[in-house]
Amino acid sequence: MRFEHTTDQRDFARSLDKLVAGSDPIAVARAWAEGDHAAGLTLWARLAEQGVTMLATEASPVEVCVAFEVLGRHSVPGPWVESAAYLPVALGREVAGVATVAVPPHTPYALDADVAEAVYLDSGRGEPTLVPPERRASEPVVSVDPTRRLFRVGEAVDVAGVSGSRAFDLAALATAAQLLGLGERVLADSVTYVTQRRQFGREIGSYQAIKHQLANVRIALDFAQPLVYGAAVALSEPAGTAERSVSAAKVQAAEAAYLASRVGLQVHGAIGYTREHDLSVFLTRIRALVTAWGTPAFHRSRILDSLLGERIGSA
């Protein structure tokens, strides 16, 4: 299995990274959290022009992961997983404009339904249905991540089948790629900080305790990356163990990103607790995505069921 990106994929990642980095994404995320979507929608349009919204139907899951790793690294707000991963596969076509979907119980609320041009509910048949405006709640549900504005769109009656669909797996994989990007960003910012912050006459990054913690994050992310891209390759195949691979990628990426967030918070000290510091934008996003599109317990259960199924089948 080949994990190295092609030249085109590396160029695509660099192009997206340059575009997003030049758009002041942290300011965009903070404004989005306050309900000011103008800058976020401008960034959305520019990314759509680069083809991000058509990757799920016109490219491979590997390109989807390449894009979502960049979106995660910069904590770009908006229902990207819903519009550019889940809905294009579930509907069988690229989604025009901003759209969102609730897929209970794994994604019980519609992300950013207040700004989406189309809101869908997938209640178990793998066939999203449009939600009329009168069925959408106007007030957001309290979210651990202020940049993720969650809205109720009605009650689901049946969830069987959705979690095993290709649309769900691509959404979970895109979320794993976002977590990978977020973890890398927190690690990079933490390394920069510990080489600048001095205590007792030394950079705090010179202490072994700090080095060991950051090295553990590096190792966790290095384990997660091949699982994410391995799952992307597996999802490209018509049959196989893609479902199990996606769950393994989601679990490992979530663990690595969460470890990065804990270590990042610790090495930044008290400043890391403040909302004014950019670190808070990444920490809250990681916390939200750990349980988005399937909790760690759910994905571990899928892995176990898959392994037991193989064992019983071979007995």
Side-chain angles (χ1 to χ4, degrees):
M1 184 174 291
R2 182 182 177 86
F3 290 107
E4 186 179 1
H5 292 341
T6 65
T7 301
D8 286 345
Q9 289 165 349
R10 288 195 293 270
D11 290 345
F12 180 54
R14 278 194 290 268
S15 172
L16 287 183
D17 192 79
K18 184 177 180 181
L19 187 159
V20 178
S23 302
D24 196 359
I26 298 300
V28 170
R30 292 188 185 282
W32 191 278
E34 297 298 326
D36 179 1
H37 302 120
L41 292 177
T42 299
L43 178 56
W44 184 289
R46 296 185 66 189
L47 288 168
E49 289 175 357
Q50 295 298 311
V52 174
T53 55
M54 61 181 287
L55 292 174
T57 53
E58 303 295 331
S60 75
V62 175
E63 279 77 26
V64 173
C65 287
V66 168
F68 274 88
E69 190 176 348
V70 173
L71 297 180
R73 186 178 305 126
H74 296 285
S75 203
V76 175
W80 282 101
V81 171
E82 291 75 7
S83 283
Y86 187 89
L87 284 172
V89 176
L91 297 172
R93 57 175 170 79
E94 181 184 350
V95 175
V98 181
T100 190
V101 62
V103 188
H106 308 294
T107 304
Y109 306 115
L111 177 65
D112 299 314
D114 57 336
V115 68
E117 298 163 38
V119 178
Y120 291 86
L121 172 66
D122 195 329
S123 57
R125 295 184 297 273
E127 299 174 354
T129 55
L130 268 174
V131 178
E134 62 271 18
R135 287 185 57 194
R136 309 176 199 169
S138 58
E139 294 298 323
V141 177
V142 175
S143 171
V144 68
D145 177 8
T147 68
R148 288 172 55 84
R149 296 165 60 82
L150 307 175
F151 293 83
R152 298 181 191 278
V153 293
E155 299 296 329
V157 295
D158 182 10
V159 297
V162 171
S163 63
S165 70
R166 188 175 184 278
F168 178 85
D169 284 337
L170 188 61
L173 184 61
T175 305
Q178 278 189 299
L179 284 162
L180 189 62
L182 282 159
E184 292 285 359
R185 176 59 182 269
V186 172
L187 176 61
D189 286 359
S190 298
V191 170
T192 299
Y193 182 76
V194 300
T195 58
Q196 297 171 344
R197 176 82 165 86
R198 298 178 67 84
Q199 200 165 41
F200 304 114
R202 298 169 54 186
E203 296 172 350
I204 63 173
S206 65
Y207 293 100
Q208 283 293 332
I210 299 292
K211 290 181 179 178
H212 286 168
Q213 291 199 66
L214 294 172
N216 286 337
V217 175
R218 179 70 272 154
I219 292 169
L221 290 168
D222 284 347
F223 272 111
Q225 186 184 40
L227 287 180
V228 170
Y229 284 96
V233 173
L235 202 56
S236 304
E237 303 294 331
T241 57
E243 184 176 305
R244 184 170 74 202
S245 299
V246 168
S247 285
K250 178 67 164 52
V251 168
Q252 185 60 41
E255 287 186 353
Y258 192 61
L259 176 63
S261 71
R262 290 173 55 196
V263 172
L265 183 60
Q266 187 168 5
V267 301
H268 276 80
I271 193 174
Y273 288 91
T274 62
R275 281 199 171 188
E276 289 74 13
H277 198 282
D278 290 349
L279 183 67
S280 66
V281 176
F282 301 111
L283 299 190
T284 53
R285 180 66 61 85
I286 288 172
R287 182 62 189 88
L289 294 186
V290 163
T291 54
W293 294 99
T295 64
F298 164 77
H299 284 291
R300 285 193 176 93
S301 176
R302 282 212 315 178
I303 296 169
L304 179 61
D305 290 345
S306 175
L307 292 172
L308 289 176
E310 278 190 358
R311 186 172 181 178
I312 293 172
S314 61

